[in-house]
Amino acid sequence: MDYIIDLQGYICPEFEFLPKEIAVVSLMRHSASSWILSPPNHYHTYEPDVKKCIDLYSLKVHGIRWSEGSVPGEDLCIEIKNMMLSANNIYTFVDSRSKVEFLEWTLGRNVLNLCDFLCSSSSELSREFGFKAACLHHMLKSETKVHREYHCALNNCHLYKKWIIKVARDYSGSPDAPDSGTISRALGHYLRENIEDNLVENMSAVSTEDDVDDDDDDDDAEDDNTSAAGSAPPPAYD
């Protein structure tokens, strides 16, 4: 069994990550869960720069206030670790090393980052698949007067699952649900193909630039010859 995990929270000074929402989705079954964590400490116990980060992420990123949530983080992390004991592979999508470190520390094992396989961001995948499935917490927020698209961990997990399944089916040529081994091979194949394509594109771009430079050099040489011919004195005749 493979799983997708997504985290929403706060990346504070010194790159410390404070989790606020965690979602887990099975890649092989129609099973999913998400949780909003209760605050580990009172808001006013933090330094001003940390409170500034908390306010920023709550307002602009995931929309979850610091005071919201009822699940103790420490208990939840233990529960998720036990849930993942039988997992073959665990995937996530993070552009912050602090999130990866938090996940690997929590689970006590390696977590595969979909960024390393050139997966698109959740916002790009949302447009590609035309899909949105927010958790109840974010659904209720979207119905308030402040209409803002917040990042929802559960929605992100479903989008990454759709991308992985598509890559695996394109690789296998089968519409059936892929197993863990097929997914792993498909992601490796996708990465190699796209790296090669990028190399070819980059080489073509460099070649085109070289051709343009050569043409410019030829034009400059012709201009120099023309200029030299025009400025040369006329031949002397007897």
Side-chain angles (χ1 to χ4, degrees), residues 31-202:
S31 301
S33 293
S34 66
W35 305 268
I36 306 294
L37 279 62
S38 57
N41 298 295
H42 196 280
Y43 175 81
H44 294 293
T45 62
Y46 290 97
E47 295 294 326
D49 54 348
V50 176
K51 288 192 285 188
K52 184 177 180 181
C53 291
I54 291 173
D55 295 341
L56 175 65
Y57 278 83
S58 293
L59 181 64
K60 300 289 188 180
V61 182
H62 48 68
I64 307 171
R65 296 194 302 273
W66 181 254
S67 59
E68 294 178 314
S70 58
V71 181
E74 186 174 348
D75 295 342
L76 177 60
C77 288
I78 294 173
E79 181 181 349
I80 293 177
K81 181 178 181 179
N82 291 332
M83 290 168 57
M84 299 292 105
L85 288 176
S86 61
N88 293 322
N89 292 304
I90 302 172
Y91 297 94
T92 189
F93 181 100
V94 293
D95 53 6
S96 166
R97 185 60 201 168
S98 59
K99 280 189 176 183
V100 175
E101 290 174 350
F102 172 82
L103 264 180
E104 293 184 336
W105 175 82
T106 298
L107 302 176
R109 58 176 295 171
N110 182 53
V111 176
L112 299 171
N113 190 353
L114 292 175
C115 284
D116 297 336
F117 296 96
L118 307 182
C119 176
S120 302
S121 67
S122 59
S123 57
E124 293 174 310
L125 294 178
S126 181
R127 291 190 293 270
E128 178 181 346
F129 295 115
F131 177 86
K132 184 176 181 180
C135 66
L136 181 61
H137 186 88
H138 281 99
M139 184 202 75
L140 293 174
K141 282 186 177 294
S142 67
E143 294 180 351
T144 62
K145 294 181 180 179
V146 181
H147 293 285
R148 180 186 291 274
E149 290 294 327
Y150 291 117
H151 286 274
C152 171
L154 183 61
N155 183 60
N156 289 350
C157 282
H158 282 297
L159 288 169
Y160 301 137
K161 177 178 179 177
K162 282 183 172 293
W163 181 81
I164 289 175
I165 298 301
K166 180 180 183 298
V167 169
R169 285 175 172 168
D170 289 345
Y171 169 77
S172 66
S174 171
D176 298 335
D179 58 21
S180 180
T182 301
I183 288 174
S184 180
R185 292 190 296 273
L187 290 175
H189 177 75
Y190 180 88
L191 176 62
R192 289 190 298 272
E193 273 205 334
N194 282 274
I195 287 178
E196 291 173 359
D197 290 344
N198 288 338
L199 286 174
V200 171
E201 289 179 4
N202 291 337

Side-chain angles (χ1 to χ4, degrees), residues 19-33:
K20 191 61 180 174
E21 179 188 19
I22 301 178
V24 179
V25 170
S26 168
L27 277 176
M28 282 75 189
R29 298 180 183 175
H30 298 294
S31 301
S33 293

